Amino acid sequence: MYATLGFYLLALALMVSIYGTVASLASTKLKDNRLFVSSKVASLSSTILISFAALLMVVLLYERDYSVSYIYKNSSNDLPFIYTFSAFWSALEGSHFLWTLLLSFVSSLAIFNYTKSNRHLMPYVSASLQAVMTWMLYMATTHSDPFKLFLPLPENGLGMNTLLQNPYMVIHPPALFTGYTSLAVAFAYSVAALAYGNVTEGWLKTVRRWTLVAWSFLTIGIFLGGRWAYVELGWAGYWAWDPVENSSLIPWLFTTSLLHALIVQGKIGHLKKTGLILSFLAFFFTYFGTFITRSGLIESVHSFAQSQVGPSYLILLVILFFSFFGLYFF
């Protein structure tokens, strides 16, 4: 029952996010502030729905409900308390669910918390963030359903990968995904600047703040991932690590470059176009890294080569690339 309710909560959140995206875009064309307000409510509603679904997943994990396929594959009766909690994000469906949950929180925070100088950009920011949320929820209800049922009901689960039963892996994924979701805000503001046609001082301060948040969490996540690979895999070096962890370094490099570009822009007004492109590339490569580790292109001890989400991620990457640079050149 809880699993079915969790799925329908995600499905309802998907519909709400679609409405939020459309309402935000419509408000820019019709100049109707009521539509933008309703899109903000849609974002908050989606966050609440996803949060309740996540709470249900935690309850199911601690109840050892092996009728849920994800729990059967990633938990067991003897799994310690703390790793039962981290089983939430220990595999494909759960990690995507965690990413979606964090994105919903960050999106609502960004949409509701803005300065007056950015008011004219917010409908575009809201539309961009809720469009990304729509895709994440689409994946969570189709190819990456965390509530998929498994029958007949077994007495015990298969258990978590022993390599992932490590304190670093309790903190590493949430830190990394928080960095990824913060980059989504910088990306949304860049789309808004392109749609509006100008980069303002308010835009610069906001994007710089969100980029610094993203860089900080990515740094923490990458450090913990490297330490985990060093301890668990014993490859005798932090840079000879698991390729899944290594793929997260690419967005960090672009985020570091973006920070430098924003600092230069704030001091002498240069690199405006460079900053826009770097904010897109940092966000783009969060999904590119996810694509190569979930499509089977790269094998790893905790990649998801067995999944079928690769083609969907590839479609997303193509849409993102041509949409952004089409808007950029237009």
Side-chain angles (χ1 to χ4, degrees):
M1 177 180 176
Y2 283 171
T4 303
L5 178 59
F7 173 81
Y8 282 117
L9 285 173
L10 293 180
L12 182 57
L14 171 61
M15 291 185 283
V16 171
S17 292
I18 292 174
Y19 169 78
T21 305
V22 174
S24 296
L25 292 174
S27 71
T28 65
K29 299 298 181 182
L30 301 177
K31 308 300 180 182
D32 189 341
N33 187 60
R34 292 174 299 176
L35 285 172
F36 173 58
V37 172
S38 71
S39 74
K40 292 170 62 178
V41 174
S43 176
L44 181 60
S45 301
S46 180
T47 300
I48 293 172
L49 291 168
I50 297 169
S51 299
F52 275 116
L55 180 61
L56 289 176
M57 174 58 76
V58 173
V59 171
L60 290 169
L61 279 166
Y62 280 104
E63 286 188 348
R64 316 288 184 183
D65 189 343
Y66 301 124
S67 66
V68 179
S69 177
Y70 180 79
I71 297 176
Y72 168 71
K73 294 177 181 178
N74 297 284
S75 185
S76 60
N77 294 336
D78 60 347
L79 191 64
F81 182 89
I82 186 62
Y83 297 129
T84 298
F85 185 74
S86 65
F88 188 115
W89 51 79
S90 65
L92 171 65
E93 295 86 353
S95 64
H96 183 92
F97 192 8
L98 175 65
W99 193 347
T100 305
L101 175 65
L102 293 173
L103 179 61
S104 70
F105 277 109
V106 170
S107 296
S108 292
L109 179 62
I111 292 170
F112 276 88
N113 183 29
Y114 59 88
T115 61
K116 290 183 179 180
S117 60
N118 286 329
R119 173 62 184 83
H120 61 290
L121 299 175
M122 293 315 298
Y124 298 107
V125 172
S126 176
S128 300
L129 287 172
Q130 295 199 65
V132 175
M133 179 59 64
T134 296
W135 188 86
M136 295 291 285
L137 287 166
Y138 160 73
M139 292 295 294
T141 54
T142 54
H143 303 294
S144 187
D145 178 9
F147 294 104
K148 182 179 179 181
L149 295 177
F150 181 82
L151 298 173
L153 179 64
E155 294 183 359
N156 197 359
L158 299 179
M160 184 191 294
N161 185 336
T162 55
L163 292 175
L164 302 181
Q165 295 182 38
N166 183 295
Y168 295 118
M169 296 305 287
V170 176
I171 307 172
H172 158 68
L176 206 59
F177 287 132
T178 301
Y180 286 172
T181 56
S182 299
L183 287 176
V185 179
F187 161 75
Y189 268 91
S190 293
V191 171
L194 289 174
Y196 180 70
N198 190 21
V199 173
T200 63
E201 183 65 24
W203 178 94
L204 176 61
K205 291 180 179 179
T206 301
V207 173
R208 188 166 54 202
R209 182 168 60 249
W210 279 104
T211 302
L212 184 58
V213 170
W215 185 89
S216 300
F217 277 101
L218 286 176
T219 301
I220 294 170
I222 290 172
F223 171 78
L224 293 175
R227 179 61 182 170
W228 166 80
Y230 184 85
V231 171
E232 290 290 346
L233 302 181
W235 288 347
Y238 291 100
W239 299 104
W241 60 2
D242 172 34
V244 173
E245 306 302 335
N246 219 16
S247 67
S248 64
L249 183 64
I250 303 174
W252 183 88
L253 292 173
F254 279 108
T255 304
T256 304
S257 300
L258 173 59
L259 271 178
H260 283 79
L262 293 173
I263 292 172
V264 171
Q265 183 178 333
K267 289 184 176 181
I268 60 177
H270 293 175
L271 301 182
K272 288 185 178 182
K273 295 179 180 179
T274 302
L276 291 171
I277 293 176
L278 285 174
S279 66
F280 166 73
L281 291 177
F283 171 74
F284 177 85
F285 277 99
T286 64
Y287 282 101
F288 179 80
T290 304
F291 163 68
I292 63 175
T293 56
R294 282 165 165 76
S295 62
L297 293 179
I298 291 180
E299 294 185 1
S300 162
V301 294
H302 79 291
S303 66
F304 309 105
Q306 78 279 7
S307 72
Q308 301 298 317
V309 301
S312 296
Y313 272 96
L314 182 59
I315 292 172
L316 172 69
L317 292 173
V318 172
I319 292 174
L320 282 175
F321 186 88
F322 285 102
S323 297
F324 181 84
F325 282 104
L327 180 62
Y328 178 86
F329 288 114
F330 176 78

